[in-house]
Amino acid sequence: MRLAIDVHLDYAFPEPADVLLQVEAAALPDQRMDSESLVIHSDHPIRAVTGEDGIGQRCWAHAEQRLVADYHAIVSVERRSIDLKALGATPVRELPPEVIRYLLPSRYCESDRFEHFVRRQFTGLSGGALGAALVDWVRGALEYSSAATERGGGALTTFAERRGVCRDYAHLLVALARAAEIPARCVAVYAPGVQPADFHAVAELWLAGEWHLVDATGMSDASDMVRVAVGRDATDIAFMTIFGTAQLFAQSVTVRRL
């Protein structure tokens, strides 16, 4: 699968501010960068830093009055969809050290508050069968609603309101998986067919010794996602973190199959 990615960001800043951008597709064994260009219109130097878990990179920029960024890439995705139900469980005591933190609660994934629910709702399941059941439950329980972006909140809020956007689906799935002793992390991706077209958030579950991409919204498939960043929750994978205030002028994300 080859995908063309085009991103345009245009923000105004009433006062100078530092900005951390995370929009570049990550170069990984299952996604090859055929071409790539990031242009940030700024009078100040840009500094790149490595992303979480060594995946992708972030860029520091300093904005005065206006910040415009354009990103273009063509990526070949070499990844097949996997049937989660066929994957076995990994005892937590055998997890690699770098994976352990994805078992623990984080700001927007309050997994410790879901342990009782998971034990009662998914009795008798383990490993990939449990992971698949969690994905199905989140997809069936939630209603996709852009109005949910106005109130923010984490997995607990989404669980109570039963609605959200892609970030909320990912937070809830990750929280439930961690409560079920399946390491899980949030992932920023580009994917075709996402509605509305935008930066997209999904989850990755650690099963059978590997990370596996899953989209609880059902809008994208592991075979046509391009990873940008990974992390504990939305805090780590935000496409833009502004250390100050900003006003949106224009923003567009387009992902096309070639």
Side-chain angles (χ1 to χ4, degrees):
M1 176 73 69
R2 293 183 81 229
L3 299 174
I5 301 164
D6 298 286
V7 178
H8 176 71
L9 304 174
D10 186 353
Y11 283 76
F13 292 79
E15 297 180 355
D18 289 321
V19 178
L20 189 59
L21 286 175
Q22 197 163 211
V23 300
E24 297 169 87
L28 296 166
D30 58 0
Q31 52 187 56
R32 185 181 72 249
M33 308 302 299
D34 294 339
S35 65
E36 184 180 33
S37 170
L38 173 62
V39 177
I40 301 174
H41 305 272
S42 173
D43 293 330
H44 301 274
I46 308 300
R47 184 169 70 92
V49 294
T50 304
E52 292 288 317
D53 290 357
I55 292 177
Q57 71 174 16
R58 299 163 166 152
C59 284
W60 280 109
H62 185 72
E64 291 184 356
Q65 297 185 339
R66 199 78 170 265
L67 180 70
V68 177
D70 289 288
Y71 177 68
H72 306 283
I74 295 178
V75 184
S76 293
V77 180
E78 300 169 351
R79 183 189 314 115
R80 293 180 301 161
S81 298
I82 300 294
D83 181 7
L84 294 185
K85 295 178 183 178
L87 303 177
T90 301
V92 293
R93 65 182 179 278
E94 297 178 8
L95 291 172
E98 66 273 13
V99 173
I100 294 172
R101 71 189 186 113
Y102 293 115
L103 274 177
L104 307 177
S106 61
R107 178 179 177 183
Y108 294 113
C109 299
E110 310 97 323
S111 53
D112 53 324
R113 306 291 296 275
F114 290 98
E115 292 172 359
H116 180 68
F117 171 77
V118 168
R119 284 196 299 269
R120 287 179 60 92
Q121 185 75 23
F122 303 97
T123 302
L125 296 177
S126 64
L130 175 54
L134 294 173
V135 175
D136 290 342
W137 187 90
V138 172
R139 185 172 300 165
L142 301 188
E143 173 190 353
Y144 195 94
S145 171
S146 58
T149 61
E150 299 173 1
R151 49 87 175 141
L156 273 176
T157 302
T158 302
F159 183 79
E161 295 190 358
R162 293 294 202 270
R163 64 190 180 116
V165 293
C166 61
R167 175 198 62 214
D168 303 305
Y169 279 72
H171 281 159
L172 183 54
L173 176 56
V174 165
L176 292 174
R178 292 177 187 172
E181 298 185 359
I182 298 174
R185 64 189 183 186
C186 290
V187 188
V189 301
Y190 293 116
V194 173
Q195 294 296 329
D198 205 345
F199 299 100
H200 195 46
V202 299
E204 271 190 314
L205 307 184
W206 179 269
L207 293 163
E210 292 182 314
W211 288 110
H212 297 277
L213 286 162
V214 288
D215 182 1
T217 71
M219 288 192 287
S220 61
D221 185 81
S223 62
D224 60 8
M225 297 183 201
V226 175
R227 292 188 196 88
V228 177
V230 303
R232 298 161 299 170
D233 51 39
T235 306
D236 293 334
I237 66 171
F239 75 92
M240 177 184 284
T241 303
I242 300 168
F243 296 83
T245 58
Q247 176 187 353
L248 171 64
F249 275 1
Q251 177 174 305
S252 63
V253 178
T254 303
V255 183
R256 297 177 290 111
R257 294 183 179 93
L258 297 178

